[in-house]
């Protein structure tokens, strides 16, 4: 297989098949797995199921995942809200893969998203040649999900314009899309639902209307603030990226810990022991960002360094990530280096020296 | 002990399911004797507990009568199985008795609270679970006491079932499933066995097992057929009796002298007894459950509807459709978790997902308090109440003070006779140490938050126009009311005695005058006289200027505002004499106290300012002598420089020091380039008083500027810490004056620079302000 990134349902096909084969609990209509089995798929299982180890996909509050699954089993849509980089899309992908077998019915919300992306468009060549016909119709992922009784994903819903959000209201409340050109109405099959994600940092950009909010159950995906938990996430996801892209060197554990500590301390505005205050940067220091910094440092080490990730590789990747939001954030890092990192020992020594150099 | 045939019924305290199963058992067995875990000397209180006009939550209170404050409570909710057993016995004309060790022993064994809560727990689920219980009885676990960490073993159990905490486990496996009395008993016994510590029970629990077992055996021996006895005990006790644990190798502690009473209890307090012993995270909710014959789904719906109403009243848009969705989500969640009905956790999560759109705050702020409830129990007319409890109840009624277990604020205008009466009442409660109201300052409500010296019984107490109090009734209030009776039958007597005690142990003049104020505030005439004597005695011995100056200030307040209190007019002469005496004594000791380093003179500096205020405001005092004292301190280079600075500033502000003299003094003190740190200290003391007025004077700024410019570099370095300290005291407007004068003095054509310095600081806040305003206008537009 040469695809860069496989969708969850293919990548974890073995796990899903094993769960399906061993799942004798009741399933909601059209669901591939029972709610319990979906939960097991997402949270992982200590014991192998049908001989297949079920790896955890999401680290964190089990009850949050349960609320999400219970929502999808009802007739409300699910809204995953949270800070950027809290694995909302990741969770959405795995939930839809486990529940309906595909995570590909996705609409990416942007400022340019139009109603067509939610409903249907036309193949204009055919439209002109044959007039409106089923063949000329280009169904949106949402329309396809309705026809097949599957789950559609709408990413970053807060980025879309109010008109598009309004279109979603009627889809969610009536569960059908009218196609007047064909004089027909597509009604959703059982099993249809929507998982939307919303970025709470975007608040005020395109604030959702009360009417739209009412169609959703909200699950807030929290920022991970447990050090060991975030380290586990970062390690697992970084290793996955490395194997997907077949590039990069594995980072040593102490550097991973160092990096996650830096992220958590900058994010929280104080050191882990609570003794020193730290200025928080403007940029979003999400878990996803930490994963990407760690992955990048592995590539730097492999391509330009000595093959093992050291403090210098990490420092370069980190400054690159922080520079995105402008020089202010680099100042924040410099301040952090002097007030916090300087006094620490172990891996911090090399990191401090390298980061100082990288910043000048 | 032969307990064969006796119906031993294990319970967890405050469990609706246990209460319901127990009632079913009682109806079936129809016992002629009901024995209940609870202090055996409390039998006389059973009619009060079960009176038709008593409304739970109520508690048995036991407190020591030997003067040591210690007490214990045994609380009952309506859904406590013990309480239901008492009611059943009442309704069927059957004898009910408590069989645990007596309250005096419980106190001696140092069970600070609720042996009831201490003893229980228990439970079990289906067969599979029972197997796993047995499979795993290895590690020693914590014991069963509520206050000790019950966590380990109970938490471990919850985690075994993939649940987050023990309360959730308990709800899932004991409260929500439907049980018959027999199956419940089996389940609970199996649970108790599983959580029982492998290393054996602690001595105290074992002693109580023994005592209760013996009491049951005695009842059998006395002729009641065993099958007609129902004994209601915490599950751990039942398990121990069933196991036939050996007699513990210890003696029962000697009983302390106690008195018992029934007192109201409250839901908020009940909910605090979480952890293993109780199961009452949400008393209001559990009571709904119990009322609805343990239909958790229905009780959950009631809570959701109520919560939605609350949310709407607060302006959130919550529709009926949302409530229905929340309810369905709660049911689905319970289903996914393998529970037979939703409980507290599912309710909260479902409400957050649907009703509050993911926001956690409304759940925390409104839903949780709603499920806890605010109810305070009520006692029936038959409850004997002591004179203080009666006076307290009467006081609340007379003055319209709230009896709720959540903080409320009461504001009193003292010019009004009734409200002044309320103030007297609250001060008496304060002095009697009855926890109900705490003083929250005298400022207007807008500027709430009180100055550090605005204390309930502070020197300013007599000059107040209004008082704010934070009031909250808690069961501790009742405890104190019961205990304080040893001091007297009325609050006035209690205050007299307590003040007398405190006066006897006062060590400083300031303590004595503080008590004097309390005595005046509570109309305690004997204590007033004694406090006055004590002030006289102590002030003639006191060497501490801090204490003396505070005493003088308090006495001055008594002199100035005492005319409003008849009790004080007779002693006005004594107060004046004492005022002059303490003031003079403090004044004479001031110079001696102004030696040492900056820290050492802190009290002296504070005292200097207090005394200065008095000298300027009280005609009685010798102003001339005071100014002389200040002049001496300001000029004496042997004294600590900060203190001298304070004295100089006070002199200048009192217009006792002419500008030229001040300039001379400043130049002399600041000219000390050899020891610049001393000069800087002087400056710090000088600014400490009123920097603004001082810096408005160009002469003073000129003297400072001269001093600083003349400092050689190395001396400047030495003086830097002290200078930093001195200038750190300056606020924004002080700095502005300083800057303006400096610019003027040095003749720089630098107004532009100065202006920029001025605005630079404000620039950002102006930008922020206009952004905020713009935002607000936008919001307004949106709204309209």
């Amino acid at each position: 297989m040469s695809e860069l990134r496989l969708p969850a349902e293919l990548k974890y096909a073995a796990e899903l098949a094993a769960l399906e084969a061993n799942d004798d609990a009741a399933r909601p209509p059209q669901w591939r797995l029972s709610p319990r089995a979906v939960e097991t798929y997402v949270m992982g299982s200590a014991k192998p199921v049908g001989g297949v180890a079920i790896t955890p996909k999401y680290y964190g509050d089990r009850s949050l995942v349960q609320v999400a699954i219970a929502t999808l089993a009802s007739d409300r849509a699910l809204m995953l809200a949270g800070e950027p980089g809290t694995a909302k899309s990741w969770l959405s992908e795995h939930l839809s893969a486990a529940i309906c077998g595909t995570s590909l019915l996705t609409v990416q919300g942007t400022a340019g998203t139009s109603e067509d992306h939610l409903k249907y468009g036309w193949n204009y060549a055919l439209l002109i040649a044959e007039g409106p016909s089923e063949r000329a119709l280009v169904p949106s992922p949402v329309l396809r999900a309705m026809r097949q009784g599957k789950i559609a994903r709408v990413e970053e819903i807060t980025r879309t314009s109010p008109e598009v959000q309004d279109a979603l209201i009627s889809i969610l409340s009536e569960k059908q899309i009218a196609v007047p050109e064909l004089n027909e109405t597509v009604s959703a099959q059982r099993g249809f639902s929507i998982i939307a994600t919303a970025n709470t940092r975007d608040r005020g950009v395109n604030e959702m209307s009360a009417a739209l909010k009412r169609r959703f159950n909200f699950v807030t995906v929290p920022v991970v603030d447990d050090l060991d938990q975030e380290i586990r996430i970062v390690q697992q996801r970084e290793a996955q990226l490395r194997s997907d892209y077949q590039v990069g060197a594995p980072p040593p554990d102490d550097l991973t810990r160092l990096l996650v500590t830096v992220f958590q301390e900058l994010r929280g505005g104080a050191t882990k022991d609570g003794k020193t205050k730290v200025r928080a940067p403007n940029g979003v220091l999400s878990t996803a960002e930490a994963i990407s910094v760690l992955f990048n440092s592995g590539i730097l080490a492999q391509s330009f360094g000595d093959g093992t990730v050291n403090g210098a590789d990490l420092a370069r990747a980190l400054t690159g990530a922080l520079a995105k939001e402008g020089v202010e954030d680099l100042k924040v890092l410099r301040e952090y280096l002097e007030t916090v990192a300087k006094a620490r020992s172990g891996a911090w020594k090399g990191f401090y020296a390298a980061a100082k150099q990288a910043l000048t | 002990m032969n307990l064969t045939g006796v119906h031993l019924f294990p319970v967890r305290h405050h469990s609706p399911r246990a209460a319901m199963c127990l009632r079913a058992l009682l109806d079936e067995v129809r016992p002629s004797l009901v024995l209940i875990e609870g202090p055996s000397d409390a039998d006389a209180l059973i009619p009060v507990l079960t009176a038709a006009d008593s409304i739970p939550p109520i508690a048995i209170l036991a407190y020591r009568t030997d003067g040591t404050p210690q007490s214990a409570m045994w609380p009952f909710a309506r859904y406590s199985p013990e309480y239901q057993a008492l009611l059943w016995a009442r309704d069927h004309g059957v004898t009910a008795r408590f069989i645990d060790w007596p309250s005096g022993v419980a106190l001696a064994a140092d069970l600070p609270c609720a042996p009831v809560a201490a003893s229980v727990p228990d439970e079990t689920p289906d067969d599979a679970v029972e197997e796993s219980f047995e499979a795993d009885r290895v590690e020693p676990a914590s014991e069963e006491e509520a206050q000790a960490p019950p966590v380990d073993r109970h938490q471990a159990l919850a985690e075994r079932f993939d649940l987050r905490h023990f309360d959730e486990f308990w709800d899932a496996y004991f409260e929500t499933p439907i049980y018959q009395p027999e199956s419940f008993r089996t389940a609970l016994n199996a649970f108790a066995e599983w959580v029982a510590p492998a290393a054996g029970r602690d001595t105290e629990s074992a002693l109580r097992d023994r005592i209760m077992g013996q009491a049951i055996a005695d009842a059998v021996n006395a002729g009641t057929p065993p099958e007609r006895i129902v004994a209601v005990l915490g599950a751990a006790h039942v398990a121990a009796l069933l196991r036939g644990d050996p007699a513990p190798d210890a003696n029962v502690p000697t009983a302390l002298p106690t008195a018992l009473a029934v007192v109201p209890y409250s839901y908020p307090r009940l909910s605090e007894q979480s952890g293993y012993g109780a199961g009452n995270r949400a008393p209001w909710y559990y009571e709904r459950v119990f009322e609805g014959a343990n239909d958790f789904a229905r009780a959950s719906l009631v809570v959701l509807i109520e919560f939605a109403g609350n949310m709407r009243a607060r302006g959130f848009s919550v529709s009926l459709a949302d409530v229905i969705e929340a309810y369905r989500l709660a049911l689905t969640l319970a289903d996914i978790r393998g529970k037979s009905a939703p409980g507290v956790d599912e309710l909260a999560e479902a409400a957050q997902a649907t009703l509050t759109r993911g926001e956690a705050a409304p759940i925390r702020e409104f839903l949780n308090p709603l499920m806890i409830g605010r109810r305070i129990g009520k006692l029936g007319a038959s409850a004997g109440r002591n004179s203080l409890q009666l006076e307290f109840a009467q006081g609340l009624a007379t003055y319209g003070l709230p009896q709720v277990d959540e903080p409320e604020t009461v504001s009193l205008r003292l010019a009004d006779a009734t409200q002044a009466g309320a103030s007297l009442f609250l001060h008496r409660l304060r002095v009697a140490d009855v926890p109900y109201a705490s003083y929250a300052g005298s400022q207007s409500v807008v500027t709430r938050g009180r100055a550090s010296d605005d204390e309930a019984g502070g020197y300013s107490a007599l000059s107040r126009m209004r008082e704010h109090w934070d009031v909250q009734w808690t069961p501790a209030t009742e405890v104190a009311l019961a205990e304080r009776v040893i001091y007297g039958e009325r609050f006035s007597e209690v205050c007299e005695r307590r003040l007398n005690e405190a006066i006897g142990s006062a060590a400083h003049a300031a303590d004595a005058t503080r008590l004097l104020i309390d005595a005046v505030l509570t109309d305690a005439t004997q204590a007033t006289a004694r406090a006055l004597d004590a002030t006289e005695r102590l002030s003639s011995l006191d060497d501490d200027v801090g204490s003396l100056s505070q005493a003088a200030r308090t006495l001055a307040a008594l002199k100035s505002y005492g005319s409003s209190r008849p009790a004080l007019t007779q002693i006005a002469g004594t107060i004046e004499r004492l005022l002059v005496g303490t003031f003079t004594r403090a004044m004479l000791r001031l110079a001696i106290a102004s030696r040492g380093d900056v820290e050492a003179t802190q009290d002296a500096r504070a005292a200097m300012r207090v005394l200065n205020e008095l000298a300027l405001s009280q005609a009685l005092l010798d102003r001339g002598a005071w100014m002389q004292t200040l002049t001496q301190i300001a000029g004496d280079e042997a004294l600590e420089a900060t203190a001298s600075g304070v004295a100089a500033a006070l002199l200048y502000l009192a217009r006792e020091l002419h500008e030229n003299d001040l300039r001379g003094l400043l130049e002399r003190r600041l000219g000390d380039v050899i020891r610049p740190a001393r000069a800087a200290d002087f400056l710090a003391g000088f600014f400490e008083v009123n920097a603004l007025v001082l810096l408005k004077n160009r002469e003073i700024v000129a003297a400072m500027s001269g001093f600083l410019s003349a400092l050689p570099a190395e001396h400047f370095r030495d003086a830097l810490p002290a200078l930093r300290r001195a200038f750190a005291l300056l606020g924004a407007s002080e700095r502005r004056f300083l800057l303006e004068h400096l610019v003027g003095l040095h003749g720089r054509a630098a107004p532009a620079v100065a202006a920029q310095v001025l605005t630079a600081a404000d620039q950002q806040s102006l930008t922020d302000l206009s952004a905020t305003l713009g935002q607000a206008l936008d919001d307004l537009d949106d709204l309209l």
Side-chain angles (χ1 to χ4, degrees):
Chain A
M1 284 183 289
S2 59
E3 283 94 342
L4 203 45
R5 184 179 182 285
L6 288 173
E9 59 271 22
L10 295 182
K11 182 156 187 149
Y12 296 100
E15 290 187 19
L16 287 167
L19 282 166
E20 194 172 359
N22 290 280
D23 184 11
D24 45 13
R27 302 171 196 185
Q30 293 283 330
W31 280 35
R32 186 177 170 190
L33 298 173
S34 69
R36 274 284 183 101
V38 175
E39 180 194 334
T40 309
Y41 168 75
V42 175
M43 300 303 294
S45 162
K47 286 179 235 153
V49 174
V52 179
I54 308 297
T55 53
K57 320 296 179 302
Y58 176 76
Y59 296 84
D61 190 2
R62 176 178 293 271
S63 69
L64 173 159
V65 174
Q66 289 171 333
V67 173
I69 297 169
T71 294
L72 291 169
S74 78
D75 73 341
R76 277 220 191 175
L78 171 67
M79 173 72 69
L80 297 170
E83 297 265 304
T86 44
K88 295 183 296 293
S89 302
W90 175 259
L91 191 55
S92 144
E93 176 182 344
H94 283 286
L95 282 173
S96 43
I99 290 172
C100 69
T102 176
S103 59
L104 295 175
L105 299 170
T106 305
V107 179
Q108 184 66 42
T110 66
T113 305
S114 71
E115 255 189 86
D116 292 358
H117 293 106
L118 286 182
K119 294 182 168 173
Y120 56 88
W122 296 101
N123 177 332
Y124 285 96
L126 278 173
L127 184 68
I128 291 165
E130 303 178 355
S133 69
E134 187 60 44
R135 225 155 66 89
L137 185 86
V138 181
S140 71
V142 178
L143 188 62
R144 281 191 283 153
M146 281 173 110
R147 281 180 169 160
Q148 301 166 23
K150 296 198 184 281
I151 289 176
R153 299 165 55 208
V154 181
E155 293 286 306
E156 302 284 3
I157 195 166
T158 35
R159 304 245 150 172
T160 61
S161 64
E163 293 77 16
V164 174
Q165 295 186 8
D166 283 350
L168 200 54
I169 294 180
S170 65
I171 293 175
L172 283 172
S173 50
E174 281 144 42
K175 302 268 162 43
Q176 55 189 21
I177 292 177
V179 189
E181 295 89 338
L182 297 180
N183 195 21
E184 70 169 43
T185 300
V186 180
S187 293
Q189 299 298 301
R190 277 179 175 278
F192 168 69
S193 190
I194 284 185
I195 304 179
T197 59
N199 183 337
T200 44
R201 281 264 172 135
D202 278 350
R203 207 158 258 184
V205 177
N206 281 312
E207 185 76 73
M208 281 176 286
S209 67
L212 183 61
K213 282 183 180 176
R214 259 208 308 278
R215 265 74 187 181
F216 285 102
N217 281 356
F218 279 66
V219 170
T220 306
V221 185
V223 174
V224 187
D225 54 6
D226 179 80
L227 186 64
D228 290 320
Q229 190 180 329
E230 190 166 3
I231 291 174
R232 268 205 308 279
I233 300 172
V234 170
Q235 275 174 336
Q236 191 215 9
R237 299 278 302 279
E238 187 274 335
Q240 219 162 58
L241 279 176
R242 216 169 344 106
S243 85
D244 283 351
Y245 288 82
Q246 300 289 316
V247 65
D253 287 354
D254 57 348
L255 278 184
T256 310
R257 174 167 285 272
L258 182 149
L259 175 75
V260 176
T261 309
V262 171
F263 266 58
Q264 293 207 346
E265 292 186 334
L266 286 176
R267 204 190 285 151
T271 52
K272 279 280 156 195
D273 57 14
K275 285 187 187 144
T276 315
K277 279 205 165 182
V278 181
R279 200 141 66 91
N282 300 321
V284 178
L285 290 179
S286 62
T287 306
E289 193 66 52
I291 295 163
S292 126
V293 168
L294 198 63
F295 180 48
N296 279 342
S297 65
I299 301 176
L300 284 173
Q302 191 190 42
S303 318
F304 307 105
D306 57 8
T308 53
V309 184
N310 57 31
D313 302 315
L314 190 65
R316 276 194 289 171
L318 181 62
T319 46
L322 277 171
K324 280 192 291 203
E325 292 283 334
V327 285
E328 265 313 297
D329 280 359
L330 290 181
K331 274 193 208 154
V332 168
L333 180 62
R334 196 170 297 142
E335 211 174 286
Y336 176 84
L337 287 175
E338 294 302 330
T339 52
V340 180
K342 195 175 179 180
R344 293 187 177 164
S345 53
W348 290 87
K349 287 235 174 297
F351 170 72
Y352 168 75
K356 226 181 138 186
Q357 208 178 4
L359 281 170
T360 45
Chain B
M1 284 184 298
N2 183 5
L3 305 181
T4 317
V6 176
H7 299 275
L8 292 176
F9 193 82
V11 295
R12 185 187 189 200
H13 308 300
H14 317 305
S15 156
R17 179 64 64 188
M20 208 174 95
C21 289
L22 174 58
R23 280 209 77 121
L25 176 88
L26 289 167
D27 284 338
E28 182 187 315
V29 171
R30 306 222 140 246
S32 57
L33 180 62
V34 178
L35 301 174
I36 297 168
E37 177 183 331
S40 58
D41 49 346
D43 284 350
L45 298 177
I46 291 176
V48 181
L49 286 169
T50 57
D53 50 356
S54 287
I55 302 174
I58 49 183
I60 297 174
L61 164 71
Y63 58 97
R64 283 170 69 168
T65 49
D66 56 2
T68 312
Q70 191 194 349
S71 59
M73 292 218 230
W74 288 259
F76 299 96
R78 180 168 298 285
Y79 52 84
S80 301
E82 294 89 341
Y83 192 71
Q84 287 301 322
L86 289 173
L87 290 183
W88 189 93
R90 178 200 69 185
D91 294 344
H92 294 78
V94 167
T95 310
R97 282 212 301 269
F98 289 123
I99 52 165
D100 202 352
W101 57 18
S103 60
V105 179
L107 285 175
D110 195 27
L111 270 178
C113 200
V116 168
S119 52
V120 213
D122 346 12
E123 53 191 296
T124 27
D126 50 23
D127 292 346
V129 180
E130 275 174 58
E131 278 168 26
S132 63
F133 281 164
E134 280 151 35
D136 195 80
R137 212 169 173 255
V138 198
E139 63 192 42
S142 66
E143 78 314 278
E144 39 129 47
E145 301 298 343
Q147 44 287 73
V151 248
D152 305 354
R153 197 112 182 114
H154 294 102
Q155 183 65 27
L157 190 55
E159 280 164 15
R160 249 188 120 83
F161 288 86
D162 264 347
L163 299 174
R164 282 158 290 182
H165 45 78
F166 175 72
D167 281 329
E168 187 181 2
F169 169 80
W170 173 265
D171 279 358
Y173 289 99
F174 285 86
E175 293 297 341
T176 50
I178 293 172
Y179 280 104
Q180 296 307 312
E182 204 39 53
S183 60
F184 187 77
R185 183 145 63 157
T186 314
L188 209 45
N189 284 337
F191 164 80
E193 266 308 308
W194 195 84
V195 292
R201 284 162 69 73
D202 60 297
T203 318
E204 199 177 285
S205 304
L207 281 171
R208 292 172 56 211
D209 294 341
R210 198 89 200 147
I211 286 173
M212 292 194 273
Q214 192 58 53
I216 299 167
D218 287 349
V220 175
N221 293 337
T224 314
E227 64 279 4
R228 309 250 7 231
I229 300 178
V230 168
V232 181
L233 309 178
H237 294 298
V238 170
L241 291 176
L242 291 177
R243 281 195 304 268
D245 281 0
D249 179 22
N251 291 327
V252 176
T254 313
L256 296 164
T258 56
L260 290 159
V262 177
V263 294
Y265 207 68
S266 74
Y267 273 171
R269 278 332 107 183
L270 207 54
S271 73
E272 280 173 3
Q273 300 195 346
S274 50
Y276 162 61
N280 31 15
R281 281 185 292 167
W284 185 85
Y285 174 64
Y286 286 118
E287 184 160 332
R288 297 286 83 68
V289 167
F290 183 66
E291 276 174 359
N294 282 31
D295 184 343
F296 272 79
R298 195 185 153 72
S300 302
L301 188 55
V302 170
V303 169
L304 286 171
I305 291 172
E306 187 94 1
F307 176 59
N310 278 357
M311 293 288 288
R312 269 196 295 272
R314 292 188 163 87
F316 291 82
S317 84
V318 177
S319 67
L320 190 59
D322 289 329
V323 175
I324 295 170
E325 182 56 36
Y327 178 61
R328 284 187 357 196
L329 185 58
L331 292 179
T332 316
L333 265 180
D335 196 40
I336 287 184
R337 291 173 182 167
K339 302 179 182 181
S340 52
V344 174
D345 305 278
E346 287 74 35
L347 264 184
E349 285 154 23
Q352 182 173 346
T354 54
L355 302 183
T356 72
R357 322 264 182 252
E359 301 284 337
I363 301 297
R364 201 172 49 237
E365 302 295 324
F366 309 132
L367 181 63
N368 290 343
L370 172 74
M371 290 204 274
I372 288 171
R374 308 161 46 169
R375 160 111 41 94
I376 288 177
K378 287 219 164 46
L379 297 187
S382 61
R385 320 200 66 186
N386 74 30
S387 54
L388 290 184
Q389 287 166 328
L390 292 174
E391 192 180 339
F392 178 76
Q394 203 179 13
L396 295 195
T398 310
Y399 302 117
L401 296 168
Q403 185 179 3
V404 281
D405 194 353
E406 63 186 340
E408 289 201 13
T409 300
V410 171
S411 296
L412 302 172
R413 297 192 156 275
L414 301 184
D416 177 282
T418 312
Q419 300 191 32
S423 164
L424 172 64
F425 177 68
L426 294 180
H427 276 294
R428 279 184 170 160
L429 290 180
R430 174 177 66 80
V431 170
D433 198 15
V434 173
Y436 170 68
S438 60
Y439 179 66
S442 60
Q443 302 302 306
S444 67
V445 177
V446 186
T447 57
R448 278 294 297 280
R450 59 191 164 119
S452 58
D453 60 348
D454 187 3
E455 290 165 28
Y459 67 94
S460 58
L462 297 175
S463 59
R464 282 179 204 138
M465 298 303 292
R466 56 165 86 79
E467 286 178 348
H468 303 290
W469 296 81
D470 291 331
V471 301
Q472 179 172 19
W473 180 96
T474 66
T477 314
E478 289 299 321
V479 176
L481 290 173
E483 288 179 347
R484 294 303 173 266
V485 166
I486 57 168
Y487 285 99
E489 293 291 311
R490 319 235 348 125
F491 283 120
S492 53
E493 285 171 44
V494 175
C495 290
E496 289 276 10
R497 300 244 167 90
R498 286 188 70 91
L499 285 169
N500 276 345
E501 269 184 21
I503 292 164
S505 54
H508 290 284
D511 301 338
T513 51
R514 200 171 38 75
L515 293 164
L516 179 56
I517 290 271
D518 274 347
V520 172
L521 285 174
T522 55
D523 266 355
T525 41
Q526 293 166 24
T528 307
R530 285 201 54 183
L532 209 54
D533 288 349
T535 307
E536 181 140 29
R537 180 166 43 84
L538 292 170
S539 64
S540 62
L541 300 171
D542 208 336
D543 282 341
D544 182 73
V545 284
S547 161
L548 284 169
S549 65
Q550 283 162 35
R553 178 165 60 179
T554 309
L555 289 164
L558 281 165
K559 177 186 163 294
S560 304
Y561 299 100
S563 57
S564 58
R565 310 258 170 173
L568 281 177
T569 45
Q570 299 162 20
I571 54 170
T574 317
I575 288 178
E576 287 181 9
R577 184 162 51 78
L578 284 175
L579 169 59
V580 175
T582 46
F583 178 83
T584 313
R585 200 172 159 76
M587 183 172 78
L588 293 175
R589 303 207 62 81
L590 202 52
I592 300 168
S594 302
R595 292 172 185 274
D597 58 16
V598 184
E599 305 241 317
T601 62
Q602 196 160 4
D603 285 349
R605 282 179 280 138
M608 210 184 307
R609 297 174 65 175
V610 169
L611 294 171
N612 185 62
E613 204 178 299
L614 295 178
L616 296 181
S617 62
Q618 298 285 338
L620 210 59
L621 303 174
D622 187 345
R623 183 182 161 122
W626 171 247
M627 292 306 164
Q628 236 171 355
T629 309
L630 282 185
T631 312
Q632 184 220 334
I633 294 173
D636 189 343
E637 308 226 353
L639 301 182
E640 198 271 318
T642 322
S644 300
V646 171
L650 290 175
L651 279 171
Y652 173 69
L653 291 174
R655 296 170 194 266
E656 290 288 327
L657 195 58
H658 194 267
E659 301 217 341
N660 289 338
D661 297 340
L662 178 65
R663 182 163 192 169
L665 181 62
L666 279 178
E667 276 170 359
R668 187 150 47 79
R669 298 298 305 232
L670 296 183
D672 191 350
V673 289
I674 310 300
R675 288 173 300 171
R678 280 181 56 88
D681 280 344
F682 183 86
L683 208 54
F686 195 67
F687 285 155
E688 199 175 288
V689 179
N690 186 343
L692 189 58
V693 174
L694 298 169
L695 289 173
K696 274 183 174 171
N697 186 319
R698 183 162 296 187
E699 298 290 312
I700 294 176
V701 176
M704 280 175 5
S705 169
F707 155 67
L708 288 173
S709 322
L711 273 183
E714 67 274 24
H715 287 154
F716 181 76
R717 221 175 24 242
D718 294 344
L720 202 54
L723 282 171
R724 282 219 169 111
R725 204 168 60 235
F727 283 93
L729 294 170
L730 303 183
S733 40
E734 282 95 342
R735 282 167 205 245
R736 199 174 71 226
F737 280 114
L738 179 60
L739 206 61
E740 279 173 4
H741 282 313
L742 284 176
V743 170
L745 278 171
H746 293 279
R748 297 255 171 82
V753 177
Q756 200 185 353
V757 171
L758 291 182
T759 52
D762 303 328
Q763 195 81 46
Q764 187 55 42
S765 59
L766 278 175
T767 320
D768 291 351
L769 193 64
S770 76
T772 316
L773 273 175
Q775 177 81 40
L777 282 174
D778 288 350
D779 288 352
L780 204 59
D781 279 350
D782 290 351
L783 271 177
L784 297 174

